[in-house]
Structures are given as structure tokens and as C-alpha cells.
């Protein structure tokens, strides 16, 4: 084991905010003075509900999905039986990219990074025995979100559960895909059209559904700072609001169903302050720019502990990292939480690791006392100072993005991407120079090799999925499928809302790949231009 006790000359957060030796009452420097407003009151710095977790705990989501729909269903059943209150579905890469399992481009990836979904039949199997009316479902899906949501609604209605009763979230955030993640299909403007079509459809048909989860998580995973995570996420959110207004929607009709998705990283106090600052800044922007009511100003968010902070070395250390990250999310006022499993730097989580991740949340909720009062860190000189500074610096970024013409222009020009790349480089350099310590990686290293058990997806999954898909295509009404795809093509070529025709298409077991291919033919595909 090696380690060093190198003393720092300067202390600062990963966002390069200087940290003083001690904080006093007069060190708040932005003049925001909203940090101690009551929870549940504008600008919601201290939380979106007046009693926060005394009234209701956050939704405990476990992100799961692998192999076939049947295998994933078995994992879901166990998680629900063990006290999970929400499902968060991971889809494999072909599903995310709009390819059926029998597409040559799906080869080698079917069921690997999540569950393979080709048709309504797979969704029916995935949620077999699960009460749609009792479970809140989050689907981490973007380019094909419209298709997956339509399948979910159709599966629920086949069980006799009205769409008006469904609760959950689709990620549906394409701007961050161009910035940080890469699972996009269509050009930017066409993607925005699909997103606003979903807003309009759900306003009428699925009013309890969160129609977008505007994601800072993947921006942070790509290497951004906490300040950039707040700034770029809120800038993207403003772009979605503007697109919806341009499409004829009224702000208070759709904005209450916007949700956000943030990362919980390692620097504890900066993370708590980040959540508080994001809530306050969003409330101010929505009120000042769009005249939104209080419900529309509430920034409600899901948090996932930082995937990029997990280490392949000494994986049990990840249990500790995840616990502290989860604590920062709760002290920051999250509405739902996913705790990563200790072995996810190596593979999809084993059942035992997923259970430890769930128990981490339950211990936090029921044994620590942190849920007994709203915003327990309010009034901390350090936390309030960090909240002010993050808000100020995030607003400086948003102002610069406004001057460029908004988030869409900033994405198309590569501005956000370059800023994130620069921050990622600086952070990596700090690790390699040991300015920051990662236990077990660049310090406190063990020489002996440890081989933990990891989950391996059965290689026969793909062959079985392709076989089932061929059977489905042989027995469905292919004349109806052809008509449904023609309707999708016509709607895409015009201006009508795409969701109703996609919904009719999935009901007759048109596949995700068939619908996506039709939209590709009309919209084209996004191709990123090389940039210096």
C-alpha cells in the first residue's frame, strides 16, 4: 500500500471555487438572500415542499435492465418486494438507437447495456405481474422515447389501467445527447419537434407523467464541473420551454411536468449547494422570463450517484462513496434517488450489489434522522456561500449562452462540448498529479489482485430475442403494420402531432426499429461535424 500526506497550499472545490479556512456570517457575497426562505415557497431554495420528507420520502429507484425482458422482470419483482418504490428501466444500446435486435447494427449489443425492447410484446413481458397504477416508472430513453412511452401506455391500457393514472418519467432530453452522451438519431430541430409533440400529447392523455427529465447527469459524467452541470442543464431546459411555447403550448400547461436529473458527485458540500442553487435559479428564470406560476417554477429532480466516481479497484469502497453521495442528494432535497451498485465499474450489477444499493437508501431514510426536518443544512455559512457562488457562476454561463442565441446554438457550435472537455482535462490532470486523491486508484493502492463476482449476460439472449421477433412478425397483422407506418410517415412529413400515430402503430405490434427507420427516412440523421 502506498500513500502520501501532501499538504495543499490552496483549497478549492472541483468547480474551482476557493474554500476559506472558516466561514462567517458576512461572507455571503452575491446578495441573493433567498437561502433562508421557507421550504415550499418561491424560489424553493430549501425544497419544493414545505414539509419535505416528513410528508413523503423520496422515490427509491433502482436502475435495472439487462438481457431479455423476462430476466429483467424477475429482477424488478425482487426489487419491489424488497421495498423499492419506483422502477428505472435501462435499455440496451440498439433500443436506444432505434434498431431492432435483428438489425445487423445491433450485433453484439443485444441485452448487454440494458434490456432489449423490440415491440409491445417485450414491454408486456417486462412489466408482467407489476401493477402500473402503483409503481412509478422512469425510462432512461431519449431518441426513441416517443415509441417506448407509447408502448408503456398501450401495455397499461391492455391491463385496464387508464393512461390518466400512469405516473413516471421519460428522459426525452436530446440536447444533452448532442453535448455529452451520443445516443441521438435525428437532427436537432426534428428532435425538438418530437419532444414538444410528447409534451402536447401527455398534457391531454397522460397528465401525471413527467414528459422530460432534463439531464445534468450525463453532462457531469462527461467531465463537467458542478457549475457547468447546473448552467448547461438549465440552459437546455430554457430551450425546451421556448420550443414548447413556439409550438403553441402555454407555459403553465406543460412546465409543471418538466423534471430534472442531476448527478451526486464526491465533493459533498458543493453537491448539496448545487442542488439548492439549481432550484433557486430555475425558479427565478421561469418567473422572470416566462411569468410562470409557482408550480411551473418548482425544479423537481431525480438524482443518481456518480457513475464516473466508481472505481474498478477495491470495489467495496464504492459502497461508501455511494452512501455519501446519496446523503448529499437527500440533504439537497431530491424527489427521487438511484444509488449505483458497487460493481458497476466492471459490469451490470449483480443481484447482491443491487440489494446493497437499495438498502443504502433505506438506511439513510429510516436510521439517520436526516429526513426529520426540511433542508437541515440551511444557515450553514459554508453551504449558503457555496449556494450563492454556484448560482452566480451558473448564471454567467447562461448569460453567455443567451448571447449566442440559446442552448441549441451553443450545442450546434460545440461551445458546451468544448467547455466540458476543458473541465474534464483539468480534473484528470489533478488526479494524475495527485492534487486530488481517489482512494485505491492514485493513493492507498493494494498490490494484491481481487476478483469480485460480476454479472455476465447470456450470449444466447440475442439469438432468442431474434427468434421471438421473427415469430411476432409472422403472426401479427402485417397489413395493419404497413398502414400504421404510412400514417407515421405522413405525420412526420407534415406538422401533425406524431404521438397518436406512433401509439396506433405500436398497438398493432409495429416494432421500434420499423418506426424509427420510417422517421429516419423523413427526418434524416444527425452527423456531428469534427471540431478543433
Amino acid at each position: 500500500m502506498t500513500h502520501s500526506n501532501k499538504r495543499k497550499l490552496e483549497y478549492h472545490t472541483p468547480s474551482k471555487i476557493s474554500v476559506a479556512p472558516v466561514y462567517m456570517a458576512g461572507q455571503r457575497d452575491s446578495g441573493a438572500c433567498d437561502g433562508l426562505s421557507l421550504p415550499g415557497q418561491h424560489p424553493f431554495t430549501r425544497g419544493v415542499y414545505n414539509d419535505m420528507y416528513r410528508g413523503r420520502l423520496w422515490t427509491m429507484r433502482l436502475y435495472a435492465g439487462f438481457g431479455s425482458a423476462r430476466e429483467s422482470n424477475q429482477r424488478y419483482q425482487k426489487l419491489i418486494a424488497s421495498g423499492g418504490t419506483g422502477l428505472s428501466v435501462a435499455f440496451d444500446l440498439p433500443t436506444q438507437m432505434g434498431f431492432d435486435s435483428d438489425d445487423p447494427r445491433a450485433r453484439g449489443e443485444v441485452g448487454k447495456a440494458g434490456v432489449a425492447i423490440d415491440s409491445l410484446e417485450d414491454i408486456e413481458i417486462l412489466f408482467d405481474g407489476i401493477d402500473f397504477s402503483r409503481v412509478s416508472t422512469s425510462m432512461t430513453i431519449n431518441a426513441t422515447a416517443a415509441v417506448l412511452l407509447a408502448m408503456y401506455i398501450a401495455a397499461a391500457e391492455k391491463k385496464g389501467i387508464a393512461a390518466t393514472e400512469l405516473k413516471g418519467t421519460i428522459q426525452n432530453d436530446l440536447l444533452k445527447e448532442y453535448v455529452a452522451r451520443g445516443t441521438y438519431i435525428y437532427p436537432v430541430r426534428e428532435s425538438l419537434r418530437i419532444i414538444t409533440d410528447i409534451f402536447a400529447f401527455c398534457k391531454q392523455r397522460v397528465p401525471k407523467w413527467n414528459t422530460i427529465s432534463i439531464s445534468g447527469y450525463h453532462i457531469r459524467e462527461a467531465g463537467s464541473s458542478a457549475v457547468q452541470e447546473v448552467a448547461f442543464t438549465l440552459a437546455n431546459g430554457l430551450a425546451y420551454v421556448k420550443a414548447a411555447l413556439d409550438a403553441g403550448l402555454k407555459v403553465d400547461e406543460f412546465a409543471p411536468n418538466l423534471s430534472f436529473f442531476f448527478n451526486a458527485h464526491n465533493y459533498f458540500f458543493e453537491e448539496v449547494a448545487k442542488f439548492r442553487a439549481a432550484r433557486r435559479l430555475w425558479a427565478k428564470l421561469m418567473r422572470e422570463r416566462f411569468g410562470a406560476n409557482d408550480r411551473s417554477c418548482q425544479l423537481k429532480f431525480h438524482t443518481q450517484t456518480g457513475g464516473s466516481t466508481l472505481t474498478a479497484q477495491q470495489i467495496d469502497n464504492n459502497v461508501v462513496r455511494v452512501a455519501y453521495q446519496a446523503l448529499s442528494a437527500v440533504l439537497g432535497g431530491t424527489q427521487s434517488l438511484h444509488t449505483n451498485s458497487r460493481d458497476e465499474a466492471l459490469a451490470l450489477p449483480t443481484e447482491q450489489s443491487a440489494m446493497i444499493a437499495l438498502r443504502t437508501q433505506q438506511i439513510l431514510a429510516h436510521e439517520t434522522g436526516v429526513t426529520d426536518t426540511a433542508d437541515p443544512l440551511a444557515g450553514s455559512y459554508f453551504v449558503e456561500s457555496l449556494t450563492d457562488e454556484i448560482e452566480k457562476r451558473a448564471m454567467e454561463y447562461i448569460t453567455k449562452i443567451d448571447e449566442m442565441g440559446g442552448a441549441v446554438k451553443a450545442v450546434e457550435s460545440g461551445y458546451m462540448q468544448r467547455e466540458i472537455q476543458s473541465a474534464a482535462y483539468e480534473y484528470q490532470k489533478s488526479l494524475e498529479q495527485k492534487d486530488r486523491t481517489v482512494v485505491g486508484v492514485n493513493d492507498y493502492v493494494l498490490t494484491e489482485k481481487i476478483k469480485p463476482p460480476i454479472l455476465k449476460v447470456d450470449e444466447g439472449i440475442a439469438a432468442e430475442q431474434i427468434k421471438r421477433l421473427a415469430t411476432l412478425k409472422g403472426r401479427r397483422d402485417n397489413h395493419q403494420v404497413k398502414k400504421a407506418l404510412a400514417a407515421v410517415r405522413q405525420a412526420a412529413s407534415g406538422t401533425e402531432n406524431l404521438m397518436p400515430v406512433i401509439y396506433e402503430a405500436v398497438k398493432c405490434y409495429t416494432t421500434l426499429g420499423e418506426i424509427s427507420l420510417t422517421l429516419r427516412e423523413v427526418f434524416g440523421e444527425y452527423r456531428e461535424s469534427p471540431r478543433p
Side-chain angles (χ1 to χ4, degrees):
M1 177 183 289
T2 63
H3 65 90
S4 64
N5 291 312
K6 180 176 163 183
R7 293 180 62 81
K8 297 179 181 179
L9 297 177
E10 296 181 6
Y11 289 80
H12 53 80
T13 75
S15 293
K16 297 188 182 302
I17 297 172
S18 294
V19 178
V22 66
Y23 283 78
M24 305 296 289
Q27 284 184 262
R28 298 188 63 191
D29 60 13
S30 77
C33 296
D34 295 315
L36 298 182
S37 59
L38 289 173
Q41 293 183 5
H42 194 279
F44 308 106
T45 313
R46 303 194 60 195
V48 291
Y49 304 118
N50 59 5
D51 56 356
M52 285 305 291
Y53 305 128
R54 287 167 68 111
R56 177 187 173 188
L57 289 174
W58 64 90
T59 301
M60 298 182 191
R61 295 197 186 280
L62 269 295
Y63 186 50
F66 63 96
S68 69
R70 183 66 64 196
E71 282 184 293
S72 294
N73 173 266
Q74 291 167 1
R75 175 72 65 87
Y76 293 163
Q77 298 278 12
K78 289 177 182 177
L79 289 172
I80 292 170
S82 299
T85 54
L87 297 175
S88 187
V89 184
F91 298 97
D92 71 0
L93 287 174
T95 302
Q96 294 180 49
M97 297 299 295
F99 300 130
D100 286 336
S101 297
D102 60 359
D103 192 298
R105 290 165 289 188
R107 189 171 298 146
E109 291 292 345
V110 175
K112 292 291 179 67
V115 62
I117 299 294
D118 294 320
S119 72
L120 175 58
E121 181 177 76
D122 290 322
I123 288 287
E124 290 170 332
I125 295 170
L126 185 65
F127 292 98
D128 184 35
I130 294 172
D131 190 341
F132 284 78
S133 65
R134 291 181 176 272
V135 172
S136 170
T137 300
S138 174
M139 293 191 280
T140 305
I141 197 70
N142 295 282
T144 55
V147 182
L148 271 298
L149 176 60
M151 289 179 181
Y152 188 83
I153 296 168
E157 291 184 338
K158 285 188 72 174
K159 287 188 173 187
I161 297 165
T164 52
E165 297 305 308
L166 297 178
K167 297 187 292 289
T169 304
I170 46 173
Q171 194 163 102
N172 196 29
D173 174 9
L174 266 298
L175 287 177
K176 70 92 176 50
E177 294 295 322
Y178 305 110
V179 172
R181 190 162 174 267
T183 59
Y184 45 70
I185 300 176
Y186 316 111
V188 178
R189 311 287 168 163
E190 284 73 13
S191 292
L192 284 173
R193 174 192 168 180
I194 296 171
I195 290 166
T196 55
D197 280 356
I198 292 171
F199 288 177
F201 178 82
C202 289
K203 179 174 71 79
Q204 299 294 332
R205 296 283 298 274
V206 203
K208 296 179 183 178
W209 196 267
N210 294 315
T211 50
I212 193 169
S213 180
I214 305 162
S215 177
Y217 182 85
H218 302 94
I219 290 171
R220 192 66 177 277
E221 289 291 282
S224 81
S225 67
V227 168
Q228 290 170 339
E229 181 185 357
V230 172
F232 297 163
T233 304
L234 299 195
N236 288 347
L238 293 172
Y240 293 130
V241 172
K242 185 177 184 305
L245 294 173
D246 290 345
L249 299 175
K250 295 180 180 177
V251 66
D252 295 324
E253 292 178 338
F254 67 87
N257 292 95
L258 303 179
S259 66
F260 290 78
F261 175 22
F262 289 114
N263 198 305
H265 222 262
N266 277 336
Y267 197 97
F268 183 82
F269 290 106
E270 185 174 59
E271 294 304 292
V272 174
K274 176 187 77 179
F275 300 128
R276 301 172 84 249
R279 220 170 13 243
R280 184 162 75 203
L281 185 52
W282 181 250
K284 290 179 178 180
L285 289 166
M286 289 295 285
R287 177 64 54 82
E288 292 168 5
R289 297 192 178 193
F290 306 112
N293 66 23
D294 273 358
R295 283 191 67 228
S296 298
C297 290
Q298 290 177 335
L299 186 150
K300 298 175 183 176
F301 66 98
H302 169 69
T303 309
Q304 181 174 340
T305 57
S308 62
T309 70
L310 300 176
T311 64
Q313 303 90 334
Q314 303 177 39
I315 66 167
D316 286 343
N317 294 346
N318 293 328
V319 177
V320 182
R321 291 185 179 101
V322 166
Y324 284 125
Q325 291 166 4
L327 178 60
S328 75
V330 171
L331 293 177
T334 194
Q335 276 61 69
S336 73
L337 178 61
H338 162 66
T339 34
N340 288 325
S341 298
R342 60 182 175 171
D343 49 5
E344 288 188 62
L346 299 170
L348 293 169
T350 62
E351 192 171 316
Q352 181 188 23
S353 294
M355 187 59 64
I356 292 171
L358 175 59
R359 294 294 185 237
T360 299
Q361 293 201 48
Q362 292 167 336
I363 290 168
L364 185 57
H366 299 292
E367 297 187 22
T368 64
V370 297
T371 62
D372 289 353
T373 189
D375 195 20
L377 291 184
S380 157
Y381 302 142
F382 185 36
V383 170
E384 296 296 350
S385 177
L386 280 176
T387 301
D388 293 347
E389 188 64 22
I390 291 170
E391 180 189 4
K392 182 181 81 171
R393 294 188 183 201
M395 190 62 220
E396 288 170 356
Y397 263 121
I398 290 170
T399 300
K400 189 167 186 176
I401 291 168
D402 287 342
E403 291 168 354
M404 294 177 184
V408 173
K409 293 284 190 184
V411 169
E412 291 176 334
S413 71
Y415 170 72
M416 291 188 192
Q417 296 91 313
R418 290 192 298 272
E419 288 294 300
I420 294 168
Q421 288 162 6
S422 178
Y425 171 75
E426 291 297 325
Y427 187 76
Q428 183 62 30
K429 190 167 69 171
S430 74
L431 298 182
E432 292 178 6
Q433 294 175 348
K434 291 194 175 182
D435 293 332
R436 294 195 178 275
T437 296
V438 178
V439 174
V441 177
N442 68 354
D443 214 341
Y444 303 98
V445 178
L446 296 180
T447 55
E448 63 264 34
K449 300 293 184 183
I450 300 172
K451 292 186 177 180
I454 62 173
L455 178 70
K456 292 185 178 179
V457 176
D458 184 353
E459 293 295 335
I461 290 286
E464 181 60 31
Q465 186 74 10
I466 291 169
K467 181 180 176 182
R468 288 184 53 255
L469 182 55
T471 302
L472 170 72
K473 289 180 176 178
R475 72 167 184 266
R476 68 186 182 180
D477 186 337
N478 283 297
H479 177 67
Q480 280 295 107
V481 169
K482 189 175 180 179
K483 284 178 59 179
L485 289 173
V488 170
R489 183 184 302 277
Q490 182 177 352
S493 301
T495 58
E496 69 176 288
N497 192 306
L498 284 163
M499 277 300 295
V501 293
I502 291 174
Y503 173 69
E504 292 301 323
V506 303
K507 285 201 300 181
C508 62
Y509 294 90
T510 309
T511 69
L512 175 140
E514 290 167 335
I515 295 169
S516 299
L517 177 61
T518 301
L519 293 176
R520 274 181 161 96
E521 290 170 351
V522 178
F523 293 155
E525 295 185 356
Y526 179 76
R527 290 284 183 265
E528 187 171 14
S529 301
R531 297 186 183 92

